[in-house]
């Protein structure tokens, strides 16, 4: 691309110092054939000597265009700017109204951004379940309240007890908590009835959750990718530009110092590991790969043993134990497996010689596979036993999901107040005790805490069809868990000596959440073809209810729906997806090239600035040296003339 400017306009810049600039030297190398054609185009397009004049001309041209704009166009642009400002102020106001902002700020200052990401993830799940509660109220509870004809008694009878709230039986089984409470009701149109509204509420929860989780995952991945691309700028930015000079409060200053210190710890830890990784020999790499293979085999055997134990606990009906323990035998077994095996996975990953961030991610992947697979196996055996009993199968499954949610909450409560807090008190009062020193300091283990949240949310998604009020129970339990974990991290735990990068792990958090959602959707689709034994769809299936609505529609609408579900529509849809993906890939490549050019431009601009600063310092030193040299030369001249 050649400039249209005349040669006279560049005469001011054709000076001696301009010829010595590094960017001009690079352009000169281009003309001499020292660079490749692609590099030559980049240097010529980015570092032209008349670039500043060209920018000035563009600004003048824009001013002329603005002066020629009409009244309506000017009003439209001003309104657009005002709307953007209003939205920006609304976003800032919404961010300031977010709950627990000061708490998260305090946790980040003491324990780093990794621990803060756990609490942000927990807050996100609370918002998500609040949205689910609104959908349940609009699609299920509202129509049932207006058109329901349920004759079950909601009074606390003589056979009911307080244990029913733990077991999900008795009074609670007759309440709106479970699927069997709901009936078809008086709203009985073909395409507007209680069963269809119930299904619409469940499907809206699944689809809305899918959109929100996928969006959160993609946005987090984009931010992670951008952070990884600018790691070379990270340290200089944190050292020279990390401090906020608007801070006046001493506590805020200490928190900001903790932020910077934790970030530098993380960077030094990663640099140390990368240096160690680069110095590995071929023999060390082979031994490391063999060790990792053996450790992965051990992980597979442990997973197989865990699944066998869950199967045995599900089929054990002849154990002579208390009723409460017998009812909670399967949740106790699953919780025991989920508590013990992730700790073993954590120890195994420490022997595999990964960085701390990779160790956290590997432990998360293995543990989430354990939790989701154990839940899936438990549900398969539960479906088999409920079919054999020929009772209200949906109520039984809902009761089991309710018990899993309650038991997980009780486990979190007992672990904090009966294990961690007494352990902390013993460490303070008896620090020299052998048992206390053997246990060590309490740390806030982020992978296991996140796994518990993903597990709870997966149980809520799986059980919302069988237990419609489970999201409300989940909101209450997650709120209490937030304050329990806040007490645990601030009162019972100490900061980690090694930090890990939370950006990639937070993406993995949402990806695991997406896996749990897909598992819940797969379970819902798999049971849709079975005949339902109770509830609003009694003696029917999901397919028959929807088919009745479709057949009542006009023929034109039926033909459109048949076309949308046929293979003739699938092919154009697939082609459209391919075109859209291709356009996004090509746009990404073009943006990548533009980013590389801008990086080159920044490098050349910084080199020009350094060169000009050097020249300026040389010019400032020049007059001083010349003024010092003149008196010495005059004295030497007098001596020469005064000699005989």
């Amino acid at each position: 691309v050649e400039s249209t400017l005349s040669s006279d306009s560049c005469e001011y810049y054709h000076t001696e110092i301009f010829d010595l600039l590094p960017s001009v030297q690079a352009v000169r190398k281009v003309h001499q054939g020292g660079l490749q054609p692609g590099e030559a185009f980049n240097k010529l397009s980015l570092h032209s000597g008349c670039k500043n004049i060209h920018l000035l001309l563009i600004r003048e041209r824009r001013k002329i265009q603005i002066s020629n704009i009409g009244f309506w166009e000017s009003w439209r642009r001003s309104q657009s700017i005002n709307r953007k400002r209003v939205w920006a102020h609304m976003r800032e106001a919404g961010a300031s109204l977010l709950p627990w902002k000061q708490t998260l700020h305090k946790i980040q200052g003491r324990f780093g951004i990794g621990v803060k990401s756990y609490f942000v993830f927990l807050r996100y799940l609370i918002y998500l379940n609040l949205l689910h509660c609104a959908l349940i109220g609009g699609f299920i509870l509202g129509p049932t309240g207006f058109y329901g004809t349920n004759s079950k008694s909601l009074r606390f009878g003589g056979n009911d007890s307080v244990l029913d709230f733990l077991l999900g039986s008795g009074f609670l089984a007759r309440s709106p908590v479970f699927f069997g409470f709901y009936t078809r009701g008086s709203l009985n149109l073909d395409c507007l009835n209680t069963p269809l509204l119930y299904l619409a509420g469940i499907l809206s929860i699944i689809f809305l959750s899918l959109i929100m989780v996928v969006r959160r995952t993609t946005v987090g991945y984009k931010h992670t990718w951008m952070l990884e691309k600018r790691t070379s700028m990270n340290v200089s930015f944190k050292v020279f530009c990390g401090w906020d000079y608007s801070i006046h409060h001493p506590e805020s200053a200490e928190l900001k110092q903790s932020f910077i210190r934790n970030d530098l710890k993380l960077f030094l830890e990663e640099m140390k590991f990368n240096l160690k990784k680069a110095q590995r020999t071929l023999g060390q790499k082979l031994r490391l790969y063999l060790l990792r293979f053996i450790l992965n085999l051990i992980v597979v055997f442990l997973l197989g043993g865990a699944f066998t134990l869950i199967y045995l606990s599900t089929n054990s009906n002849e154990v002579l134990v208390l009723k409460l323990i017998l009812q909670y035998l399967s949740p106790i077994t699953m919780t025991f497996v989920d508590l013990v095996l992730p700790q073993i996975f954590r120890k195994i990953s420490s022997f595999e010689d990964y960085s701390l961030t990779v160790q956290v991610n590997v432990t998360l992947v293995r543990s989430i596979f354990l939790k989701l697979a154990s839940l899936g196996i438990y549900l398969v055996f539960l479906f088999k036993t409920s079919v054999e009993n020929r009772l209200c199968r949906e109520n039984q499954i809902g009761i089991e999901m309710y018990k899993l949610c309650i038991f997980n909450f009780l486990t979190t409560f007992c672990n904090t107040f009966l294990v961690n807090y007494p352990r902390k008190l013993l460490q303070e009062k008896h620090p020299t005790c052998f048992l206390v020193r053997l246990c060590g300091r309490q740390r806030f283990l982020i992978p296991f805490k996140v796994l518990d949240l993903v597990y709870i949310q997966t149980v809520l998604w799986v059980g919302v069809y069988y237990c419609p009020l489970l999201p409300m129970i989940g909101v209450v339990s997650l709120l209490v868990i937030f304050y329990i974990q806040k007490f645990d991290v601030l009162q019972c735990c100490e900061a980690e000596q090694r930090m890990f990068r939370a950006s990639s792990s937070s993406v993995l958090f949402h990806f695991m959440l997406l896996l749990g959602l897909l598992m819940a959707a797969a379970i819902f689709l798999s049971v849709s073809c079975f005949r339902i034994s109770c509830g609003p769809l009694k003696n029917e299936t999901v397919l028959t209810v929807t088919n009745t609505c479709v057949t009542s529609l006009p023929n034109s609408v039926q033909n459109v729906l048949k076309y949308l579900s046929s293979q003739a529509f699938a092919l154009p849809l697939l082609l459209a997806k391919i075109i859209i993906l291709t356009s996004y890939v090509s746009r990404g490549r073009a943006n990548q090239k533009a980013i590389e050019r801008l990086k080159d431009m920044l490098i050349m601009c910084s080199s020009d600035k350094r060169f000009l600063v050097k020249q300026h310092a040389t010019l400032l030193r020049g007059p001083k040296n010349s003024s010092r040299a003149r008196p010495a030369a005059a004295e030497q001249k007098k001596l020469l003339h005064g000699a005989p």
Side-chain angles (χ1 to χ4, degrees), residues 29-95:
K29 288 181 181 179
V30 169
H31 289 294
Q32 293 175 359
L35 297 176
Q36 298 296 327
E39 297 178 357
F41 177 76
N42 293 339
K43 301 297 182 182
L44 286 171
S45 60
L46 292 175
H47 311 298
S48 176
C50 299
K51 182 175 176 54
N52 293 332
I53 295 179
H54 187 57
L55 291 175
L56 290 174
L57 291 177
I58 290 175
R59 291 173 185 172
E60 293 295 333
R61 191 178 302 167
R62 286 179 180 175
K63 289 181 182 179
I64 296 173
Q65 290 177 354
I66 291 172
S67 63
N68 294 330
I69 292 176
F71 173 76
W72 291 109
E73 182 66 20
S74 176
W75 180 82
R76 188 181 64 82
R77 291 189 180 185
S78 64
Q79 292 299 316
S80 176
I81 294 172
N82 291 331
R83 281 196 301 270
K84 290 180 180 179
R85 289 177 180 173
V86 169
W87 280 112
H89 289 306
M90 290 178 63
R91 283 194 295 267
E92 291 178 0

Side-chain angles (χ1 to χ4, degrees), residues 464-492:
V464 68
Y465 176 70
Y466 309 102
C467 183
L469 297 188
L470 200 58
M472 300 180 186
I473 300 171
V475 169
V476 176
S477 63
L478 289 174
L479 278 171
V480 179
I481 285 173
F482 184 93
Y483 288 102
I484 291 174
Q485 297 295 354
K486 174 189 171 183
F487 176 82
D488 189 14
V489 71
L490 294 178
Q491 301 296 330
C492 307

Side-chain angles (χ1 to χ4, degrees), residues 321-391:
V321 290
L322 296 174
K323 180 182 178 182
L324 183 61
I325 299 178
L326 181 61
Q327 290 288 332
Y328 273 92
L329 185 60
S330 296
I332 289 172
T333 305
M334 294 176 63
T335 304
F336 174 76
V337 167
D338 294 338
L339 284 176
V340 174
L341 283 190
Q343 298 287 344
I344 299 176
F345 294 160
R346 177 170 167 262
K347 294 295 182 182
I348 288 175
S349 64
S350 64
F351 290 104
E352 292 177 321
D353 200 11
Y354 291 119
S355 65
L356 184 60
T357 303
V358 178
Q359 287 181 24
V360 170
N361 293 339
V362 169
T363 306
L364 282 172
V365 170
R366 289 170 178 171
S367 302
I368 196 60
F369 177 76
L370 167 69
K371 284 183 175 286
L372 294 183
S374 60
L375 181 61
I377 292 172
Y378 176 65
L379 287 173
V380 168
F381 296 138
L382 190 62
F383 276 118
K384 289 183 178 180
T385 54
S386 61
V387 170
E388 293 174 358
N389 293 334
R390 297 182 180 275
L391 297 174

Side-chain angles (χ1 to χ4, degrees), residues 560-574:
V560 171
L561 293 176
K562 288 180 181 179
Y563 174 73
L564 293 178
S565 60
S566 64
Q567 297 179 355
F569 178 72
L571 182 60
L573 183 63
L574 183 61

Side-chain angles (χ1 to χ4, degrees), residues 426-427 429-440:
L426 286 175
Q427 289 173 354
K429 294 183 178 180
H430 306 283
T432 58
C433 180
F434 174 75
L435 184 60
V436 172
R437 287 185 295 168
L438 184 63
C439 293

Side-chain angles (χ1 to χ4, degrees), residues 413-432:
F413 181 86
C414 295
N415 185 45
T416 299
F417 293 102
L418 300 181
V419 178
N420 292 341
Y421 189 61
R423 176 180 172 184
K424 183 246 185 183
L425 294 178
L426 286 175
Q427 289 173 354
E428 290 180 351
K429 294 183 178 180
H430 306 283
T432 58

